[in-house]
Amino acid sequence: RGRSHRGRSGSAQERQRSSTQGRQGQESTPPMPKRPPAATPGAPGAAKVPRWSSASVASAIALAYAAGLGSRVLLPAGGDPPPSTADAFSHTTHPDMATDGFNWTQLSMSRANNFPSGTIKYLDAATIKERGAMHAWHTTFARSIPALVSGLGDDVAASFSGWRREDYRRHWGEKDVVVAFSPDEMFQRGVLRSGLRRLQAPHRQRMRFDAFLDAQAESERVIPPLEHVAVQQSPSRDLSDFGLPPLPPFVEELVSPTLQARNLWVAAPPKTSVLHYDWQDSVLLQVSGTKRFTLIDPARLHTAYPAVMLMENLVRTGAGQFEPRLTSREVDNFPLANITHPDYDRHPLLRDAHVMTVEVPAGSALFLPAYWFHQVESFAAPGELNVAVNYWFQGHSLATRLYRTLRENVFVNCTLPAAPGQLHPCRNSVLPEDEG
């Protein structure tokens, strides 16, 4: 799903000169035609003056702002922008974003000013059943507010209560799943290779569920484990094969029209999915165990230092043995900031991030709007598994569209080399205990 990002070179003076002189060939700017004399209203041949309603004007203004119009900062003629080498976001594929081109109106239109203050709502299944799925939509996803919904999956969780690994083997053993293998409990991480930062992803392969349980048991024969094994983002056309609902209870009409994926997640703790965001709205249903979500409000998305980097896949060559393989895929949903071990010297904006934590127990659900950064830790009782399903769908709320526009302009480009004589903005942090 990585997006293609391509940079442009040249000084601000060169870019300004090219904008005034026009581009060569088909992109050259034609001369501005002379305006014809205005006709007298009501005279023959006079154009009718359109009548604009207040709603039409408001819609036009909103679309203009979302398109990036009306808030560019212009430079004096012949002037250069102020130096921005101290700004991490100057290392971006948008050449003017850090100095004279970023549309701050997009940020001002985000929920920081125009939506209710970001926090977590607490709902229950009875309220959603009584008021309907669309009421849940308008109070959560439409406003980009996450919600913990107690009781939404009580019936599902009750049917798996007390299951041990052998119970899953007996009922799910022959079913195919996608399994991830990682050297440790962090199933993704940023790594530095040849001075450029990459996202390291775990080895993934399809196997039967009983083979997954065997691999998991084998890895745990030694301490620390040889490797960590989990069913991670395993897609399913119909989760009912696993005795799980194909759609989240009570909100089927909300999710089904734009449903994009159903995913199964199974792990024996410890397991962590590091800080990232998804492009879709999500309903996560916790079946067994507990998940802890650490969230960052996208109204302050820049405080997490969003980044674009190449992906590096781990290839498993044996139990606990991996080889990194660089790919050409670019990913943009994993930031530079470390939310559990913050480096405020490197990432000072992180102090202003709106961070919150929520625990999702078995039988509850988390409504998570698109573009919310989240880090996920999984817990379970000894001998039991952490099991969850999530449903990705496209809600297309105004808040989501604004954050998408903002995200396309605010990022650090880790695919470019450092400027001469400067440290790379995507270099690894040095924690205090590692210094000296």
Side-chain angles (χ1 to χ4, degrees), residues 271-283:
K271 179 185 182 295
T272 300
S273 294
V274 299
L275 194 66
H276 67 286
Y277 69 77
D278 300 317
W279 299 282
Q280 305 94 343
D281 293 331
S282 173
V283 175

Side-chain angles (χ1 to χ4, degrees), residues 29-69:
T29 305
M32 183 69 70
K34 293 183 179 180
R35 180 179 297 176
T40 303
K48 292 184 178 180
V49 179
R51 295 184 178 180
W52 293 81
S53 67
S54 59
S56 299
V57 172
S59 299
I61 293 173
L63 287 173
Y65 277 128
L69 306 176

